[in-house]
Amino acid sequence: MGEDMGHSQGDNHGGLSAERLEAIRRSWVDAHITPLWETPVHRVAKGAPRGHHWRWSDLRPMIDDAIAVTSTDNAERRVLALTDPDGRGVRSTVTTINANFQVLAPGESARPHRHTANALRFIVEGAGGVTTVDGKECLMEPGDLIITPGGSGHEHAHRGQGTLVWLDVLDAPLHQYLGTQVFEPGPSNNLPPTIADSAFTGAGLAPVLEGPQAAYSPLFRFPKAAWEAALQAAPAHGDGARSIRIINPLTGAPAMPLMDCRLMRIGKGQPTAAMGSNANAACFIVSGHGRSRVGDEVFEWAAHDVFTMPGHNVVSHECLSDDATLFFASDREVLRRLDLLVEERVNAKDMKA
Ligand SMILES: [Fe+2]
């Protein structure tokens, strides 16, 4: 273990009687005071937090079970939350980020609400779903990405056939830690005006708007066809990977101010450069089969699996199918704004075997 600030074996308590010592300790407890030299709060954990891997092959049957167990009449949201087995107190998938799978049966809807947490939806299966964000309807087709930024009113409805499933990613644990979480159930009567998606049809062209604008993207839906085209055309990095970010077209900043979202395509036989970062990320496998090294562990993944990349791990990815597409949501932007972000490419020779 690292540094231990607990009291030492040789501490003779200055010759105090046991009764006096007990009285002193009681006074600390009563006054909500913690003597750090008697409390191992300054232990320095060895090694980085461990990532965790959830396989779609395990999860998919649980989605049918969730439909059997409850309905949206009973639940605000029918959500299966991926919960870090190493989490310490606050439920999260990886530190500041939650990843869940949400389910609607045909004809069901998830009622309107709004909250301070930023959220996104990556549609996994089903057709005919609609997410309404600040009053603007967004179709939910497999592969589409839809954001519901913090403060936006949103609801979901399944108007098609078959089970509708999507990945939710939220920064709710961050708000829980900061005490900034606010949840308002029901429809909102003060939704801000929205801008038609057609106002952004031309790449590099944006409307000039009057007055202050929301901190988040006026585009809420990023259709699969659009990001596929952008990803395919993105220049390859030295390791062969192509990556794009989901941005606010008015500013070039991340589409939601505190969550960085990226898509990456990798080809067979060329592992990505090993990267170290202190940001925390959840990775959703959009398509393909491969494996990722996260610190000392290797996760072999397939489509729709989720694994986590806790900060302070060195990470690299390798495709074992013709190609693979990975989606990352991270708290990188939170750390960057706080001037705390540390990222570096790691030479292969410096990595552990
Ligand atoms: Fe929500």
Side-chain angles (χ1 to χ4, degrees), residues 23-92:
I24 290 172
R25 291 202 167 116
R26 174 54 51 193
S27 73
W28 290 332
V29 171
D30 292 346
H32 307 291
I33 295 293
T34 302
L36 289 191
W37 68 91
E38 297 205 355
T39 309
V41 293
H42 283 200
R43 287 183 193 276
V44 177
K46 268 194 174 175
R50 293 173 42 187
H52 194 74
H53 179 199
W54 289 266
R55 296 178 194 282
W56 182 243
S57 57
D58 296 329
L59 291 166
R60 186 60 188 82
M62 297 177 190
I63 286 169
D64 289 331
D65 290 345
I67 291 176
V69 166
T70 193
S71 75
T72 51
D73 290 337
N74 300 319
E76 180 78 15
R77 296 290 190 263
R78 188 196 282 111
V79 164
L80 293 172
L82 311 184
T83 304
D84 180 3
D86 298 329
R88 301 178 186 117
V90 175
R91 186 193 71 72
S92 75

Side-chain angles (χ1 to χ4, degrees), residues 346-352:
V346 180
N347 291 326
K349 62 182 175 54
D350 296 330
M351 292 180 67
K352 292 179 181 176

Side-chain angles (χ1 to χ4, degrees), residues 77 113 115 121 154:
R77 296 290 190 263
H113 66 210
H115 39 69
R121 331 285 167 182
H154 56 276

Side-chain angles (χ1 to χ4, degrees), residues 27-189:
S27 73
W28 290 332
V29 171
D30 292 346
H32 307 291
I33 295 293
T34 302
L36 289 191
W37 68 91
E38 297 205 355
T39 309
V41 293
H42 283 200
R43 287 183 193 276
V44 177
K46 268 194 174 175
R50 293 173 42 187
H52 194 74
H53 179 199
W54 289 266
R55 296 178 194 282
W56 182 243
S57 57
D58 296 329
L59 291 166
R60 186 60 188 82
M62 297 177 190
I63 286 169
D64 289 331
D65 290 345
I67 291 176
V69 166
T70 193
S71 75
T72 51
D73 290 337
N74 300 319
E76 180 78 15
R77 296 290 190 263
R78 188 196 282 111
V79 164
L80 293 172
L82 311 184
T83 304
D84 180 3
D86 298 329
R88 301 178 186 117
V90 175
R91 186 193 71 72
S92 75
T93 307
V94 56
T95 314
T96 61
I97 291 173
N98 279 344
N100 315 315
F101 284 99
Q102 189 168 160
V103 190
L104 286 181
E108 285 188 331
S109 59
R111 45 188 171 266
H113 66 210
R114 66 202 295 181
H115 39 69
T116 44
N118 295 286
L120 65 87
R121 331 285 167 182
F122 206 109
I123 317 308
V124 179
E125 68 174 55
V130 174
T131 288
T132 304
V133 190
D134 283 345
K136 185 155 79 170
E137 288 198 349
C138 304
L139 282 178
M140 305 172 83
E141 302 289 341
D144 289 354
L145 174 69
I146 298 169
I147 61 168
T148 59
S152 66
H154 56 276
E155 58 190 299
H156 315 286
H158 186 8
R159 301 171 185 166
Q161 302 298 315
T163 302
L164 179 64
V165 184
W166 66 88
L167 174 80
D168 282 328
V169 183
L170 303 92
D171 60 4
L174 176 68
H175 290 277
Q176 195 170 343
Y177 176 77
L178 294 173
T180 52
Q181 74 275 41
V182 176
F183 177 87
E184 294 177 10
S188 302
N189 55 16

